[in-house]
Amino acid sequence: MHAIQQQYWAVRDYLSPVLKESKFREHGRITPEEYVAAGDFLAYKFPVWSWEAGDASKARDYLPANKQYMVTRGIPCLRRATSLAYTDADEDAERLLSFGDSSIAGNEADEWVETHASRRANPDSAANPGIIDDIPDLDGPHGDDEISAAAANLSLSETPDLDDIPDMEEDLEEGDDAAAAPSKAPPPPRAPAHATKDEEVTNANLLSVRTYDVMITYDKYYQTPRIWLLGYDEVERNATSA
């Protein structure tokens, strides 16, 4: 069945005409030239995206040979799709939040429904880093101001005693004598006694997540960009739906 569907899509794509005039404002459809221009802008703004030529036997003649599709690789996914599933318990825990003036009655009050209210954030997870401290305002007091104030309090009339200034030539002679003296070779580094245990601790602190390769192609039939996902599990194997 899948092979028949693939053949149908191939024939449909072959018989579809190439869009010559943009229909983005009317129907959201773009030309191949607009697709390439948008891809160039995306790669310029976000260098993690790049153009790929792909298999030469499957290249589309209405696209440049070196710009058949866009790809970005190794995008981490910190949460699984099952954690976002909306259950009956989540529906029962919904709350109505009001952000408008409480004195306003009727539909003029700004009210929102908070979903997933029963799910508390875990500050120890990578997806929920916790509360971030406030960043100090640049207009506030700076360390440079404190240094300037301390320098202003210094008195230039106080002249240091010349006898208190160390002699640089004596320090250099002592350094030359120390360098000429034979030095003992340092002992060879000793292997840690608990190397295996340290490696286990390091691995335990790593967060194993799924990663995805995201590709954007041009669909000739629908005349729109099309997004593809290629997932990998925690050990870089092709991910399954489980």
Side-chain angles (χ1 to χ4, degrees):
M1 184 62 184
H2 181 68
I4 297 176
Q5 190 178 42
Q6 292 288 338
Q7 292 294 330
Y8 168 74
W9 286 344
V11 173
R12 184 189 65 179
D13 185 76
Y14 176 77
L15 297 178
S16 299
V18 179
L19 185 64
K20 299 297 183 181
E21 185 179 353
S22 177
K23 300 293 183 182
F24 179 75
R25 291 184 180 273
E26 297 84 355
H27 308 289
R29 295 180 292 169
I30 62 175
T31 64
E33 291 77 13
E34 289 177 313
Y35 164 74
V36 173
D40 290 339
F41 184 75
L42 179 63
Y44 167 75
K45 295 293 290 185
F46 303 98
V48 294
W49 288 93
S50 61
W51 284 106
E52 291 290 336
D55 190 354
S57 62
K58 299 180 180 179
R60 301 295 186 260
D61 56 359
Y62 49 83
L63 293 173
N66 60 338
K67 296 182 178 181
Q68 292 291 308
Y69 65 94
M70 300 202 70
V71 63
T72 179
R73 296 182 173 88
I75 304 301
C77 182
L78 301 180
R79 290 191 294 176
R80 302 292 296 275
T82 54
S83 63
L84 303 177
Y86 200 66
T87 62
D88 295 337
D90 295 322
E91 185 176 358
D92 296 337
E94 288 182 353
R95 295 185 301 179
L96 187 63
L97 303 179
S98 178
F99 296 94
D101 190 355
S102 58
S103 61
I104 300 177
N107 297 330
E108 297 181 2
D110 193 5
E111 296 181 345
W112 297 82
V113 176
E114 180 188 7
T115 61
H116 300 77
S118 61
R119 305 187 185 186
R120 300 301 178 186
N122 181 13
D124 297 331
S125 65
N128 299 287
I131 300 175
I132 301 176
D133 296 335
D134 294 337
I135 300 176
D137 192 356
L138 293 177
D139 297 334
H142 303 98
D144 296 340
D145 297 338
E146 298 177 359
I147 296 175
S148 301
N153 296 328
L154 294 178
S155 176
L156 299 179
S157 60
E158 298 179 0
T159 304
D161 190 0
L162 297 179
D163 295 335
D164 296 337
I165 301 176
D167 191 356
M168 296 181 63
E169 294 182 356
E170 294 180 358
D171 294 340
L172 292 175
E173 291 177 357
E174 294 177 359
D176 295 338
D177 296 339
S183 59
K184 297 182 180 180
R190 186 174 58 181
H194 302 287
T196 304
K197 184 177 180 180
D198 294 340
E199 291 177 358
E200 293 178 355
V201 172
T202 302
N203 294 333
N205 292 333
L206 295 178
L207 180 62
S208 298
V209 297
R210 286 192 169 192
T211 57
Y212 289 88
D213 294 345
V214 186
M215 290 152 283
I216 304 178
T217 62
Y218 180 78
D219 194 304
K220 182 184 175 184
Y221 177 77
Y222 291 104
Q223 299 168 345
T224 59
R226 192 171 184 179
I227 296 180
W228 305 81
L229 295 177
L230 184 59
Y232 304 93
D233 61 8
E234 294 77 5
V235 292
E236 297 297 327
R237 295 176 301 189
N238 289 336
T240 61
S241 58

